[in-house]
Amino acid sequence: MAGLHDLAGWLVRRRSSLPAWMTRIIDAPARNPDGLIGRLAYRVLGGGGAPNTTVPDAATRVYIAPTNYSGQGFLWARALERAQSDVGARNMAVDIPGGFAFRADTTVPIAVNSASAEWQRAEWEAVQRFTHVLIEAERPIFGGLFGRSVLSEVEALEAAGLSVAFLSHGTDIRSPRAHAALTPWSPYPEDPRTDTLQADADANAVLLETLRRPTFVSTPDLLLDVPWARWCPVVVDGARFAADRPVLAEQTARVIHVSSSPVQKGSHHIEPALRPLIDAQTIGYELVSGVSSDSMPGVIGSADIVLDQFRIGSYGVAACEAMAAGRIVVGHVLPQVREHILAETGLALPIVEATPDTLHAVVSGLLTDRDRAREIAALGPAYVEAVHSGAHSAAVLLDGWIDRSGDADGN
């Protein structure tokens, strides 16, 4: 059974580079849990018991579920508790076999969430004792209890007196069709999931537009897809990634690229662009994948230059971790994303701009002017502390939703 779990995890982690027919099979259990493939998958993965979420003893009780991508649900919950003493927050994460393990208040195997009526009823009873629910990635929370319908869940939650908000993470709301017009480096339609992603983004956009509940996005580029939303920045533990190793202290620079999704990040463009520098031993380059989150501080701290992504036009948790470590971060960030960050925070994003076409020249320039490169790297920890430590994220959630959820329209 462990071998099947490992195989499932291997496929999930590489789904963006697999043929379209394989991604359809992988997605089938989540997209149609009651179908033949879904029922077979959950039988193989097994059911069993799982914990239900405990309710905090606080005046304002916030429940965040169900995806916890990169541990963000857990970190937003902690940020809210630090920000306001009368707030208690908990997150629930549906666990996919073989996925990266991130800390959560409640972790529930996908087979239990999808198929256990007992767990679903108990979780629903617990959630009704909260005051606020933040739904991540427009995903249903309670399996089949409400027909796997987010709209039905929202109606039930609000009928029980809870305030509901949404937080979009990325591919759940990003329109491949619109994104392809933003940058020539867009992964669409090269990504074999493009048709599925487009259908999901369209359906989720209709849901959000129809409900018009308070809505947040985890990265600023998604404001192009949900212009009336607010940016709730991802959170990283800056102290955990702080690194003492000097930047560019050695003649040969250590360059790494951490890739969880090669097609989305443009990983295949990197080595060809840097090949002359690699061959001249000006840099040592390593593609990092499949590393546990516990090992990432050491991996990032050992680098001089961290290459982020070159296709989406934004940045996320991996870039924040590298900035927190005081590394030089290079990636492709759309001008409108940089402009929004500057307008909202008063800070310029300290990620060096590059595309696959310019990457060789950009890295060469950093190595030529090492003093300037070190100055850019030194801006990273302060930027992360100001924008991605959790304080700004909590303030956005409080101001944009929690502190005004008693308003007449709730929006």
Short mmCIF file of all heavy atoms in Angstrom, two decimals, residues 10 13-14 17 100 254 256-262 265 267 285-293 295-296 299 307:
data_model
loop_
_atom_site.label_atom_id
_atom_site.label_comp_id
_atom_site.label_asym_id
_atom_site.label_seq_id
_atom_site.Cartn_x
_atom_site.Cartn_y
_atom_site.Cartn_z
N TRP A 10 4.27 10.75 -6.59
CA TRP A 10 5.18 11.03 -7.71
C TRP A 10 4.41 11.61 -8.88
O TRP A 10 4.85 12.57 -9.51
CB TRP A 10 5.89 9.74 -8.10
CG TRP A 10 6.96 9.92 -9.15
CD1 TRP A 10 8.27 10.19 -8.94
CD2 TRP A 10 6.78 9.85 -10.57
NE1 TRP A 10 8.93 10.29 -10.14
CE2 TRP A 10 8.04 10.08 -11.15
CE3 TRP A 10 5.69 9.60 -11.39
CZ2 TRP A 10 8.22 10.08 -12.53
CZ3 TRP A 10 5.87 9.60 -12.77
CH2 TRP A 10 7.14 9.83 -13.32
N ARG A 13 3.15 15.29 -8.14
CA ARG A 13 4.20 16.31 -8.18
C ARG A 13 4.65 16.62 -9.60
O ARG A 13 5.16 17.71 -9.87
CB ARG A 13 5.40 15.85 -7.34
CG ARG A 13 5.14 15.90 -5.84
CD ARG A 13 6.44 15.76 -5.06
NE ARG A 13 7.07 14.47 -5.26
CZ ARG A 13 6.81 13.38 -4.51
NH1 ARG A 13 5.91 13.45 -3.55
NH2 ARG A 13 7.45 12.26 -4.74
N ARG A 14 4.46 15.70 -10.54
CA ARG A 14 4.94 15.89 -11.91
C ARG A 14 3.80 16.08 -12.90
O ARG A 14 4.01 16.01 -14.11
CB ARG A 14 5.80 14.68 -12.33
CG ARG A 14 7.13 14.66 -11.61
CD ARG A 14 7.74 13.28 -11.60
NE ARG A 14 9.05 13.30 -10.94
CZ ARG A 14 9.19 13.30 -9.62
NH1 ARG A 14 8.13 13.29 -8.82
NH2 ARG A 14 10.40 13.33 -9.08
N SER A 17 3.93 18.26 -16.19
CA SER A 17 4.77 17.85 -17.31
C SER A 17 4.33 16.53 -17.93
O SER A 17 5.00 16.02 -18.82
CB SER A 17 6.23 17.73 -16.85
OG SER A 17 6.36 16.81 -15.79
N PHE A 100 3.94 17.28 -0.46
CA PHE A 100 4.87 17.83 0.52
C PHE A 100 4.13 18.07 1.83
O PHE A 100 3.01 18.59 1.84
CB PHE A 100 5.47 19.13 0.00
CG PHE A 100 6.33 18.95 -1.21
CD1 PHE A 100 5.88 19.32 -2.47
CD2 PHE A 100 7.59 18.39 -1.10
CE1 PHE A 100 6.66 19.14 -3.59
CE2 PHE A 100 8.39 18.20 -2.22
CZ PHE A 100 7.92 18.57 -3.47
N ARG A 254 27.49 29.96 -6.69
CA ARG A 254 26.57 28.82 -6.61
C ARG A 254 25.16 29.31 -6.98
O ARG A 254 24.60 30.18 -6.30
CB ARG A 254 26.59 28.22 -5.22
CG ARG A 254 25.59 27.10 -5.02
CD ARG A 254 25.85 26.33 -3.73
NE ARG A 254 24.74 25.49 -3.36
CZ ARG A 254 24.39 24.34 -3.96
NH1 ARG A 254 25.10 23.93 -5.00
NH2 ARG A 254 23.37 23.63 -3.54
N ILE A 256 21.17 28.14 -7.86
CA ILE A 256 20.21 27.04 -7.77
C ILE A 256 18.85 27.49 -8.31
O ILE A 256 18.53 28.68 -8.35
CB ILE A 256 20.04 26.52 -6.33
CG1 ILE A 256 19.36 27.55 -5.43
CG2 ILE A 256 21.38 26.08 -5.75
CD1 ILE A 256 18.93 27.00 -4.07
N HIS A 257 18.09 26.51 -8.72
CA HIS A 257 16.70 26.73 -9.13
C HIS A 257 15.87 25.63 -8.48
O HIS A 257 16.11 24.44 -8.70
CB HIS A 257 16.56 26.66 -10.66
CG HIS A 257 15.14 26.63 -11.14
ND1 HIS A 257 14.25 27.64 -10.89
CD2 HIS A 257 14.46 25.68 -11.86
CE1 HIS A 257 13.08 27.34 -11.45
NE2 HIS A 257 13.18 26.16 -12.04
N VAL A 258 14.89 26.04 -7.66
CA VAL A 258 14.02 25.09 -6.97
C VAL A 258 12.74 24.97 -7.78
O VAL A 258 12.02 25.95 -7.97
CB VAL A 258 13.71 25.55 -5.54
CG1 VAL A 258 12.83 24.53 -4.83
CG2 VAL A 258 15.00 25.78 -4.76
N SER A 259 12.46 23.77 -8.27
CA SER A 259 11.32 23.61 -9.18
C SER A 259 10.38 22.53 -8.70
O SER A 259 10.75 21.35 -8.59
CB SER A 259 11.81 23.27 -10.59
OG SER A 259 10.70 23.13 -11.46
N SER A 260 9.14 22.92 -8.41
CA SER A 260 8.08 21.96 -8.10
C SER A 260 7.18 21.75 -9.31
O SER A 260 6.39 20.81 -9.35
CB SER A 260 7.25 22.47 -6.92
OG SER A 260 6.73 23.76 -7.22
N SER A 261 7.29 22.64 -10.31
CA SER A 261 6.46 22.55 -11.51
C SER A 261 7.27 23.08 -12.69
O SER A 261 7.22 24.27 -13.00
CB SER A 261 5.18 23.37 -11.33
OG SER A 261 4.36 23.28 -12.47
N PRO A 262 8.04 22.22 -13.36
CA PRO A 262 8.96 22.68 -14.41
C PRO A 262 8.29 23.48 -15.52
O PRO A 262 8.85 24.48 -15.98
CB PRO A 262 9.56 21.38 -14.95
CG PRO A 262 9.45 20.42 -13.80
CD PRO A 262 8.18 20.77 -13.10
N LYS A 265 7.27 26.96 -14.15
CA LYS A 265 8.41 27.81 -13.76
C LYS A 265 9.40 28.06 -14.89
O LYS A 265 10.27 28.91 -14.77
CB LYS A 265 9.15 27.19 -12.56
CG LYS A 265 8.38 27.30 -11.26
CD LYS A 265 9.31 27.17 -10.07
CE LYS A 265 8.64 27.61 -8.79
NZ LYS A 265 9.60 27.76 -7.67
N SER A 267 11.60 25.81 -16.02
CA SER A 267 12.87 25.21 -15.61
C SER A 267 13.72 24.78 -16.79
O SER A 267 14.96 24.87 -16.74
CB SER A 267 12.60 24.01 -14.69
OG SER A 267 11.76 24.37 -13.61
N TYR A 285 25.79 25.27 -11.19
CA TYR A 285 24.32 25.32 -11.26
C TYR A 285 23.72 24.00 -10.80
O TYR A 285 24.20 22.92 -11.16
CB TYR A 285 23.85 25.63 -12.68
CG TYR A 285 22.35 25.49 -12.84
CD1 TYR A 285 21.48 26.39 -12.21
CD2 TYR A 285 21.80 24.44 -13.59
CE1 TYR A 285 20.11 26.24 -12.34
CE2 TYR A 285 20.44 24.30 -13.73
CZ TYR A 285 19.59 25.20 -13.10
OH TYR A 285 18.23 25.06 -13.21
N GLU A 286 22.62 24.09 -10.02
CA GLU A 286 21.93 22.89 -9.56
C GLU A 286 20.42 23.10 -9.65
O GLU A 286 19.89 24.12 -9.18
CB GLU A 286 22.31 22.56 -8.12
CG GLU A 286 21.62 21.30 -7.59
CD GLU A 286 21.99 20.97 -6.14
OE1 GLU A 286 22.80 21.71 -5.56
OE2 GLU A 286 21.44 20.00 -5.61
N LEU A 287 19.75 22.14 -10.24
CA LEU A 287 18.29 22.10 -10.25
C LEU A 287 17.86 21.29 -9.04
O LEU A 287 18.22 20.12 -8.90
CB LEU A 287 17.78 21.45 -11.55
CG LEU A 287 16.29 21.14 -11.62
CD1 LEU A 287 15.46 22.42 -11.55
CD2 LEU A 287 15.97 20.37 -12.90
N VAL A 288 17.07 21.90 -8.17
CA VAL A 288 16.65 21.27 -6.92
C VAL A 288 15.17 20.90 -7.03
O VAL A 288 14.33 21.74 -7.35
CB VAL A 288 16.85 22.22 -5.72
CG1 VAL A 288 16.38 21.56 -4.43
CG2 VAL A 288 18.32 22.63 -5.61
N SER A 289 14.85 19.64 -6.76
CA SER A 289 13.45 19.22 -6.76
C SER A 289 13.26 18.09 -5.77
O SER A 289 14.21 17.37 -5.43
CB SER A 289 13.01 18.77 -8.16
OG SER A 289 13.74 17.63 -8.57
N GLY A 290 12.02 17.95 -5.28
CA GLY A 290 11.70 16.87 -4.37
C GLY A 290 12.32 16.98 -3.00
O GLY A 290 12.41 16.00 -2.26
N VAL A 291 12.75 18.18 -2.60
CA VAL A 291 13.37 18.39 -1.29
C VAL A 291 12.29 18.73 -0.27
O VAL A 291 11.39 19.53 -0.54
CB VAL A 291 14.42 19.51 -1.36
CG1 VAL A 291 15.01 19.80 0.01
CG2 VAL A 291 15.52 19.14 -2.34
N SER A 292 12.37 18.13 0.90
CA SER A 292 11.37 18.39 1.94
C SER A 292 11.46 19.83 2.41
O SER A 292 12.53 20.47 2.34
CB SER A 292 11.57 17.45 3.13
OG SER A 292 12.76 17.78 3.82
N SER A 293 10.35 20.36 2.92
CA SER A 293 10.35 21.73 3.41
C SER A 293 11.31 21.93 4.57
O SER A 293 11.88 23.01 4.74
CB SER A 293 8.93 22.14 3.83
OG SER A 293 8.44 21.28 4.85
N SER A 295 14.23 20.76 4.82
CA SER A 295 15.60 20.88 4.31
C SER A 295 15.85 22.18 3.56
O SER A 295 17.00 22.51 3.27
CB SER A 295 15.92 19.70 3.39
OG SER A 295 15.78 18.47 4.06
N MET A 296 14.79 22.92 3.24
CA MET A 296 14.95 24.07 2.37
C MET A 296 15.82 25.19 2.94
O MET A 296 16.57 25.82 2.18
CB MET A 296 13.58 24.62 1.98
CG MET A 296 12.83 23.75 0.98
SD MET A 296 13.83 23.29 -0.47
CE MET A 296 14.15 24.91 -1.16
N VAL A 299 19.35 24.34 1.98
CA VAL A 299 19.54 24.36 0.53
C VAL A 299 19.66 25.79 0.03
O VAL A 299 20.57 26.15 -0.73
CB VAL A 299 18.38 23.63 -0.19
CG1 VAL A 299 18.45 23.84 -1.69
CG2 VAL A 299 18.41 22.14 0.15
N LEU A 307 17.35 31.23 -8.61
CA LEU A 307 16.51 31.52 -9.77
C LEU A 307 15.09 31.07 -9.45
O LEU A 307 14.86 29.90 -9.13
CB LEU A 307 17.05 30.79 -11.00
CG LEU A 307 18.53 31.04 -11.31
CD1 LEU A 307 18.95 30.22 -12.53
CD2 LEU A 307 18.79 32.51 -11.54
#
